Amino acid sequence: MRATAVRRTVLTASAVALTLAVTACGGGDQDGGSGGDDKAKGGAAEKPAAKALTAAELEKRIVATADLKDHKVQEPGTDDVFDPASLTVDRAECEPVARVLSALPAGDPAASAQRLVVQESAASKKGMPSMEELAEMTEEEAKEATIDSLDITKTMTSLWSYDADGADQALGTLRAAGEKCAKGFAMTIDGEKQQVTKVAGEKLTAGEDAVAWTVAAKTDEDPVETKVVVFRTGTTLAGFSSFNIAAISRGEAYEQPTAVIGAQEAKLAR
């Protein structure tokens, strides 16, 4: 399966408020008279607009191999990412879902960083059976051994940072889009047509706020399921688009990449 199944999911934002109060009083005159003016000054400083993290700051905060046991973290290759200009959606209100499904940014972030996180099962590490090994297997055994070699979970992990309340707004837009587009929509990305058949919400707690879905789609009649999560920490959104080829091939359910999500949440909170 092509990297089309590696969808991004997006994430994060929040605002920081600062309040300052200053009070000053004036005393009476030198002869003890009461003619002195009492003065009181007070007030709160205006809330400064929250600042987006820079690209360099996001690079320091995105997950690395050292943050995850039994996972490989690498820079995504050209085959792993999509050109945003290649995305079209038949329903405009569903574009936010299509974007994070494809690991494209939610909204218009000021900065971003991205990694591909790969988790291989013990069976997949053995690789494809040799021709000699396959020759000694039944057809069903050969099929299962081949699928076992594809038991790899790939999670495109993204950080997007926004000024002011941009992250909060982007996450709210995503949540509304997921509800409006729960029954599906059609999209084309990188020239490949896909029919999203269902956007099913899932319960997941991460960051200060989060959305999580299982997105079911058909590509050339082959069913595909992608796990999508976006959570917010401060002015940053963290997005995850994850799939497992073996689970897709067998039509099996698989879990959200909670280890990756947890590691990214912890690193953003530092």
Side-chain angles (χ1 to χ4, degrees):
M1 176 174 293
R2 195 179 170 281
T4 302
V6 187
R7 329 258 182 216
R8 315 293 178 291
T9 345
V10 209
L11 26 90
T12 65
S14 155
V16 179
L18 178 71
T19 311
L20 178 65
V22 179
T23 305
C25 297
D29 58 19
Q30 205 171 27
D31 63 3
S34 59
D37 292 330
D38 291 330
K39 299 177 182 179
K41 296 180 181 179
E46 289 185 8
K47 295 179 181 179
K51 295 293 185 180
L53 297 178
T54 65
E57 289 172 322
L58 291 180
E59 286 292 333
K60 293 178 181 179
R61 288 166 171 79
I62 198 163
V63 287
T65 297
D67 303 315
L68 284 158
K69 183 179 180 181
D70 299 326
H71 291 70
K72 295 178 182 177
V73 181
Q74 61 197 51
E75 294 269 359
T78 55
D79 289 339
D80 299 316
V81 296
F82 295 110
D83 178 1
S86 73
L87 174 66
T88 59
V89 184
D90 69 336
R91 297 170 57 194
E93 65 268 30
C94 300
E95 184 175 343
V97 177
R99 287 183 65 85
V100 295
L101 175 65
S102 306
L104 296 173
D108 186 21
S112 62
Q114 199 165 61
R115 294 292 185 273
L116 178 61
V117 183
V118 181
Q119 182 183 30
E120 299 178 296
S121 69
S124 71
K125 290 178 181 178
K126 297 177 182 178
M128 291 279 288
S130 67
M131 294 302 294
E132 292 77 14
E133 290 172 325
L134 289 171
E136 296 178 0
M137 298 178 185
T138 66
E139 184 176 343
E140 185 62 28
E141 288 173 340
K143 176 183 176 182
E144 287 302 309
T146 301
I147 294 176
D148 282 344
S149 71
L150 300 174
D151 189 8
I152 302 170
T153 300
K154 293 187 176 182
T155 304
M156 191 63 81
T157 302
S158 309
L159 293 182
W160 305 304
S161 190
Y162 307 75
D163 286 317
D165 64 348
D168 195 32
Q169 293 290 335
L171 191 60
T173 298
L174 273 176
R175 178 176 285 110
E179 294 171 354
K180 293 176 182 177
C181 304
K183 294 184 179 180
F185 55 91
M187 61 179 280
T188 300
I189 189 160
D190 207 15
E192 182 176 346
K193 295 181 179 180
Q194 301 174 47
Q195 180 63 50
V196 172
T197 56
K198 188 176 183 180
V199 179
E202 294 191 6
K203 290 184 178 180
L204 185 137
T205 300
E208 296 169 54
D209 193 9
V211 295
W213 308 310
T214 293
V215 180
K218 284 186 178 181
T219 304
D220 295 330
E221 301 306 318
D222 294 324
V224 177
E225 267 196 2
T226 305
K227 300 291 186 178
V228 178
V229 172
V230 181
F231 75 76
R232 181 181 66 80
T233 296
T235 59
T236 303
L237 290 180
F240 309 84
S241 184
S242 181
F243 74 100
N244 179 289
I245 298 175
I248 291 170
S249 300
R250 292 188 172 113
E252 297 175 345
Y254 61 101
E255 300 300 317
Q256 293 279 6
T258 52
V260 181
I261 295 167
Q264 185 60 82
E265 180 183 21
K267 198 162 186 178
L268 275 176
R270 291 176 191 170

